[in-house]
């Protein structure tokens, strides 16, 4: 028996799940309702639905979510991050299951509300951490679990976003901390979840520093346009996104902006940026392991390095998703499976004490994130089955990753460390779920 799925939030990120239910996962469910603040975006997805020979599905404004819940068994939440908690709680209280994009929510209050709704019963939550399914990250998890490096004592994790990918967060709604929680929540929740999952440990103490050093109007290299569309410099300035050149971005955003005023191609040096672009975090875990983490959002290349030190040796994972940054790319290629054209590679090395280094195999598949997105979709729509790696993430996993980011933001603001309690699911002093 197939399930009925409703979607709330019909921007760019929804397409992976919509196309899955229209394609290779069509036997698992059908789309029965769309909900968004913008009719043009819902029309775009209805056109994708009808192009497969299916009838268009009903569309609803955000104020009619209760009607949406009457038409589905499960809700896929891909809306603006700050709205996740509202939709997740309403769906759970109506007895519906929820598939929610990371981050689960943006702050401690949202985490508490979702935790309370989940504890009340009703539906189940799956948080879609697709990085868990990437073969290189799976390989690192397996190598740690093998015990060959002994007990983990420390992790160093450096992530660099290039000026295709990193800059894009400063054009759109993510640039507003109240909407996204800042990159320490919106982006780093992926990375904190990986460490939590790799170590099977819970964060206890967080200290951080963060700053806006590259983007924003205070760092603008001279006079700038407010947005790219219509700017004389469009085509010659690599920081200006030609939103009209990409058919999907044009339909979803440029053609839709008259309805709700949302501008998708703001200049990255325009006023209104309230998030940081350089972040450094230290985390202590309940197994005594320590994490040092950094995120830079204006690098000339894209990728990450992870080193894991243990009592018997060391693991080093190096990933290059894009070796250099070609100007004028409209969409981040690493999210579309096209990164290899720019010199991508990954390498995992194990070195035990008193032994030569050993390169461990990474078995990449086809498609985005080394084939990881397809594995994620299998878990979401067919169920995880017997997965010894426990890759499917629930609401507590989502909370633990969000709260490390929220705690890091608070620490950066105050200059003080922040304590996490209840196995990493609550910031000390924050209100309990009710």
């Amino acid at each position: 028996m197939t399930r009925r799925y409703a979607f709330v939030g019909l921007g760019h990120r929804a397409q992976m799940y919509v196309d899955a239910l229209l394609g290779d996962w069509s036997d698992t469910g059908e789309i029965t309702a769309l909900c968004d603040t913008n009719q043009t975006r819902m029309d775009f997805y209805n056109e994708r639905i009808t192009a497969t020979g299916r009838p268009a599905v009903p569309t609803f404004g955000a104020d009619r979510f209760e009607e949406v819940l009457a038409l589905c068994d499960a809700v896929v939440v891909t809306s603006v991050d700050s709205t996740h908690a509202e939709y997740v709680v309403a769906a759970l209280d109506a007895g519906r299951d929820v598939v929610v994009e990371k981050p689960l929510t943006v702050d401690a209050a949202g985490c508490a509300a979702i935790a309370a709704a989940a504890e009340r019963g009703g539906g189940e939550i799956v948080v879609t951490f697709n990085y868990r399914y990437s073969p290189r990250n799976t390989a690192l998890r397996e190598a740690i679990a093998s015990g060959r490096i002994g007990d983990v004592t420390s992790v160093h994790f450096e992530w660099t976003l290039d000026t295709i990918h990193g800059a894009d967060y400063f054009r759109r709604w993510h640039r507003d901390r109240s909407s996204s929680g800042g990159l320490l929540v919106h982006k780093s929740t992926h990375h904190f979840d990986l460490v939590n999952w790799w170590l099977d440990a819970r964060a206890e103490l967080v200290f951080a520093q963060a700053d806006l050093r590259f983007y924003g109007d205070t760092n603008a290299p001279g006079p700038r346009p407010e947005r790219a569309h219509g700017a004389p410099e469009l085509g010659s300035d690599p920081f200006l996104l030609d939103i009209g050149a990409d058919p999907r971005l044009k339909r979803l955003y440029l053609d839709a902006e008259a309805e709700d005023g949302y501008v998708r191609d703001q200049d990255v040096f325009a006023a209104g940026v309230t998030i940081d672009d350089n972040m450094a975090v230290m985390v202590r875990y309940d197994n005594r392991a320590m994490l040092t983490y950094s995120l830079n959002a204006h690098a000339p290349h894209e990728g990450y390095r992870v080193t894991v030190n243990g009592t018997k040796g060391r693991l080093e994972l190096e990933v290059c998703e894009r070796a250099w940054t070609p100007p004028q790319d409209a969409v981040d290629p690493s999210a579309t499976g096209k990164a290899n054209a720019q010199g991508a590679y990954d390498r995992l090395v194990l070195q035990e004490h008193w032994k030569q280094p050993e390169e461990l195999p990474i078995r990449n598949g086809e498609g985005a994130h080394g084939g990881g997105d397809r594995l994620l979709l299998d878990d979401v729509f067919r169920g995880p089955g017997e997965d010894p790696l426990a890759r499917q993430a629930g609401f507590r996993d989502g909370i633990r990753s969000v709260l490390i980011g929220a705690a890091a933001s608070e620490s950066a603001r105050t200059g003080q460390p922040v304590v996490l309690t209840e196995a990493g699911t609550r910031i000390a002093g924050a209100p309990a779920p009710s």
Side-chain angles (χ1 to χ4, degrees), residues 7-20 41 44-45 76-81 84 100-103 128-131 172-174 186-187 190 248-249 252-253 264 332 334-336 368-369 372-373 376-377:
F7 281 74
V8 58
L10 275 303
H12 160 79
R13 191 59 185 163
Q15 185 169 327
M16 181 175 78
Y17 305 99
V18 169
D19 286 357
R41 285 195 284 274
F44 171 84
Y45 281 102
V76 180
V77 179
T78 52
S79 56
V80 171
D81 296 350
H84 285 188
V100 57
E101 259 294 321
K102 66 82 198 165
T128 55
F129 286 119
N130 59 342
Y131 282 168
R172 40 188 170 140
W173 55 263
H174 306 74
H186 175 81
K187 185 63 181 175
H190 258 323
R248 181 173 57 160
L249 292 181
L252 285 173
Y253 300 109
R264 171 64 177 77
D332 172 26
S334 64
T336 60
H369 300 107
D373 284 2
L376 167 71
L377 291 169

Side-chain angles (χ1 to χ4, degrees), residues 386-411:
E386 296 296 325
D387 182 3
L389 296 173
R391 284 173 292 193
Q392 190 174 98
F395 76 93
R396 290 184 183 87
D397 301 303
I399 287 173
R400 288 180 179 118
S401 63
V402 166
L403 288 188
I404 295 175
S409 293
E410 178 66 9
S411 176

Side-chain angles (χ1 to χ4, degrees), residues 60 66 82 99 102 373:
F60 299 87
E66 287 187 3
S82 59
V99 177
K102 66 82 198 165
D373 284 2

Side-chain angles (χ1 to χ4, degrees), residues 417-430:
V418 175
V419 173
L420 297 178
T421 63
E422 298 179 22
T425 63
R426 186 178 170 196
I427 292 178

Side-chain angles (χ1 to χ4, degrees), residues 345-403:
Y345 65 88
D346 48 26
R347 184 170 182 255
L348 177 60
V349 175
L350 165 70
Q351 187 166 16
E352 297 172 277
H353 289 161
W354 325 116
K355 293 184 180 180
Q356 293 280 355
E358 174 187 347
E359 186 164 346
L360 301 181
I362 297 173
R363 299 176 179 87
N364 286 308
E366 296 296 322
H369 300 107
D373 284 2
R374 290 192 62 85
L375 297 174
L376 167 71
L377 291 169
D378 268 338
D379 257 16
V380 168
F381 294 120
R382 302 192 193 282
E386 296 296 325
D387 182 3
L389 296 173
R391 284 173 292 193
Q392 190 174 98
F395 76 93
R396 290 184 183 87
D397 301 303
I399 287 173
R400 288 180 179 118
S401 63
V402 166
L403 288 188

Side-chain angles (χ1 to χ4, degrees), residues 5-314:
Y5 287 92
F7 281 74
V8 58
L10 275 303
H12 160 79
R13 191 59 185 163
Q15 185 169 327
M16 181 175 78
Y17 305 99
V18 169
D19 286 357
L21 287 170
L22 298 178
D24 291 347
W25 290 267
S26 61
D27 60 305
T28 68
E30 61 177 334
I31 301 169
T32 55
L34 305 177
C35 179
D36 197 88
T37 59
N38 192 289
Q39 187 64 45
T40 300
R41 285 195 284 274
M42 290 190 284
D43 290 345
F44 171 84
Y45 281 102
N46 248 334
E47 289 173 19
R48 297 187 77 83
I49 292 171
T50 58
T52 67
R54 297 170 172 85
V57 303
T59 60
F60 299 87
D63 58 343
R64 299 175 63 192
F65 190 57
E66 287 187 3
E67 297 175 58
V68 173
L69 294 174
L71 298 176
C72 68
D73 305 307
V75 181
V76 180
V77 179
T78 52
S79 56
V80 171
D81 296 350
S82 59
T83 66
H84 285 188
E86 172 189 355
Y87 292 124
V88 170
V89 169
L92 293 176
D93 284 343
R96 305 300 185 262
D97 292 337
V98 177
V99 177
V100 57
E101 259 294 321
K102 66 82 198 165
L104 176 63
T105 183
V106 296
D107 54 26
C111 288
I114 291 171
E119 295 295 341
R120 286 194 292 269
E124 300 290 331
I125 305 175
V126 174
V127 185
T128 55
F129 286 119
N130 59 342
Y131 282 168
R132 288 190 179 199
Y133 298 82
S134 178
R136 56 207 178 211
N137 298 327
T138 297
L140 181 55
R141 161 88 170 191
E142 291 172 331
I144 293 170
S146 74
R148 292 183 65 183
I149 66 165
D151 296 331
V152 174
T153 60
S154 64
V155 179
H156 178 68
F157 196 157
E158 176 193 14
W159 198 289
T160 54
L161 296 168
D162 69 7
T163 46
I164 296 174
H165 192 180
D168 211 34
Y169 293 113
F170 296 82
R171 296 187 181 104
R172 40 188 170 140
W173 55 263
H174 306 74
R175 73 205 311 263
D176 177 6
R177 187 181 298 272
S178 66
S179 295
S180 66
L183 290 181
L184 279 170
V185 172
H186 175 81
K187 185 63 181 175
S188 299
T189 188
H190 258 323
H191 313 150
F192 298 139
D193 175 71
L194 280 176
V195 179
N196 295 347
W197 177 64
W198 283 330
L199 302 185
D200 191 21
R202 312 293 175 244
E204 292 186 331
L205 186 71
V206 179
F207 180 77
Q209 293 283 281
D211 206 349
L212 181 65
R213 295 294 308 277
F214 188 81
Y215 302 108
D217 58 335
T218 59
N219 299 309
R224 302 288 301 180
E226 290 187 4
R227 64 176 300 181
H229 185 65
E233 304 92 338
L234 185 63
S236 60
D237 184 337
F239 284 103
L240 295 178
L241 172 67
D242 188 354
I243 195 170
D246 183 89
R248 181 173 57 160
L249 292 181
K250 180 178 183 298
R251 285 294 315 281
L252 285 173
Y253 300 109
L254 186 60
D255 295 348
E257 65 183 43
E259 283 188 53
D260 56 16
Y262 173 57
V263 176
R264 171 64 177 77
D265 63 341
Q266 295 179 78
D267 181 53
V268 299
F269 300 107
V273 174
T274 59
I275 64 174
D276 302 303
D277 53 26
N278 281 261
M279 290 137 275
V281 183
M282 294 183 65
V283 182
R284 186 171 180 88
Y285 284 85
D286 59 1
N287 65 353
R288 299 173 62 194
M290 294 176 287
L291 166 68
T292 54
Y293 168 84
S294 65
L295 176 65
N296 178 284
H298 54 85
H301 67 272
E302 177 102 357
Y304 59 100
R305 295 184 179 92
V306 182
T307 57
V308 184
N309 297 300
T311 55
K312 296 181 180 179
R314 174 181 172 96

